[in-house]
Amino acid sequence: MNKSRNRLINEKSPYLLQHADNPVNWYPWGDEAFQKAKEEDKPIFLSIGYSTCHWCHVMAHESFEDEEIADYLNNNFVSIKVDREERPDIDSVYISVCQALIGSAGWPLSVFIDSNKKPLFAGTYFPKTSFLQLMKSIIRLWHNDRALLEGNSKKIIHYLKLDEATKGVIRANIIDESFLRLKHNFDPTHGGFSRAPKFPTPHILIFLIKYYLTFQDASAINMVNKTLRSMRMGGIYDQIGF
């Protein structure tokens, strides 16, 4: 492949250089990308990851090395790649956006923003088909109902400002709220919480064990047992000396 096909070839980050030969016309974070988005009236697709991130490589192989996805990105978006280890300041902003929108966050971090860096939508890993559908939805709204996108952006920013203002304030009912949220997001079939991809979250399991010991709610320990058994029967084999 021709490694000069996108601008990441001029970067120093090993992670960005890994994507220098993608058919996606990647830009590094900078004025050039935002000016192009403004002049061409296009939304921006911002992808944040790091070199040792497994799902970053999966999405890169499925989508960013795929000609169909690359063509759609190149024709409809300005695409920016960021190494979270090189720019933790950028990562921290948009990881908060993702957390606010879907209740969880991780990498690859997939964010749609405008030329003023305001968030429109955020998520993490998307399989190729889902990613293509999502991009088409964003473009449809961008051209036909931009007011809805901008309204959602304002709500996200407002929420983040409120969240920042209340940091450090611990509500009296936060323990019960946290438990109910975990119970709502629990996967009774496969264990764990929310949808795939899932990662081991020992702090959540410890919380549920303590909740059970304190309040004797059997559903708390049942979630722990189901999750641990599913992990044991899955692809993780190094729990106890393996």
Side-chain angles (χ1 to χ4, degrees):
M1 283 185 143
N2 180 5
K3 291 196 173 186
S4 65
R5 65 193 310 177
N6 72 56
R7 290 163 176 77
L8 299 185
I9 195 65
N10 299 315
E11 296 300 302
K12 296 179 181 178
S13 158
Y15 174 69
L16 298 185
L17 289 171
Q18 287 173 2
H19 295 273
D21 60 350
N22 288 168
V24 177
N25 186 24
W26 291 115
Y27 284 76
W29 180 276
D31 293 339
E32 184 183 7
F34 292 103
Q35 187 61 34
K36 180 179 174 65
K38 188 173 184 178
E39 290 174 355
E40 298 184 5
D41 190 33
K42 289 180 177 179
I44 292 167
F45 171 61
L46 171 63
S47 176
I48 303 177
Y50 57 102
S51 59
T52 57
C53 165
H54 170 72
W55 287 101
C56 297
H57 292 295
V58 172
M59 191 166 179
H61 177 67
E62 290 179 348
S63 294
F64 305 147
E65 296 173 10
D66 181 83
E67 294 289 347
E68 180 185 13
I69 294 291
D71 285 345
Y72 197 85
L73 278 169
N74 295 341
N75 290 329
N76 296 281
F77 296 88
V78 173
S79 301
I80 297 177
K81 253 294 178 193
V82 167
D83 181 350
R84 68 175 291 258
E85 295 178 324
E86 183 180 55
R87 295 300 305 268
D89 54 329
I90 298 170
D91 178 62
S92 66
V93 171
Y94 292 107
I95 205 83
S96 298
V97 170
C98 189
Q99 184 76 38
L101 273 172
I102 65 173
S104 61
W107 300 273
L109 186 59
S110 303
V111 192
F112 296 91
I113 63 177
D114 65 16
S115 60
N116 294 313
K117 305 174 186 174
K118 293 179 180 178
L120 305 173
F121 185 78
T124 53
Y125 161 77
F126 294 99
K128 175 188 170 179
T129 302
S130 300
F131 185 50
L132 186 58
Q133 290 173 347
L134 174 60
M135 288 193 295
K136 289 180 177 179
S137 296
I138 295 290
I139 291 301
R140 185 172 61 252
L141 290 171
W142 182 263
H143 291 300
N144 300 324
D145 197 355
R146 196 174 303 188
L148 177 62
L149 276 179
E150 292 173 346
N152 287 339
S153 179
K154 289 178 181 177
K155 288 178 183 178
I156 296 167
I157 294 169
H158 177 68
Y159 175 86
L160 291 174
K161 287 180 178 178
L162 284 178
D163 186 57
E164 186 66 28
T166 57
K167 273 185 178 176
V169 178
I170 300 177
R171 301 184 307 280
N173 59 343
I174 194 169
I175 292 175
D176 289 330
E177 285 182 5
S178 300
F179 173 70
L180 290 174
R181 190 171 202 175
L182 290 171
K183 195 172 183 179
H184 175 74
N185 291 332
F186 180 66
D187 180 349
T189 303
H190 303 291
F193 303 87
S194 299
R195 63 177 188 266
K198 298 174 184 174
F199 301 91
T201 50
H203 59 287
I204 289 177
L205 301 181
I206 291 170
F207 168 81
L208 289 172
I209 291 170
K210 290 183 177 180
Y211 191 92
Y212 168 72
L213 292 173
T214 303
F215 300 106
Q216 297 299 303
D217 189 322
S219 62
I221 202 66
N222 289 341
M223 285 188 280
V224 173
N225 288 335
K226 175 62 179 178
T227 298
L228 291 176
R229 288 193 179 104
S230 295
M231 287 171 64
R232 177 63 187 90
M233 300 306 293
I236 299 176
Y237 299 106
D238 59 349
Q239 300 96 329
I240 309 175
F242 284 81

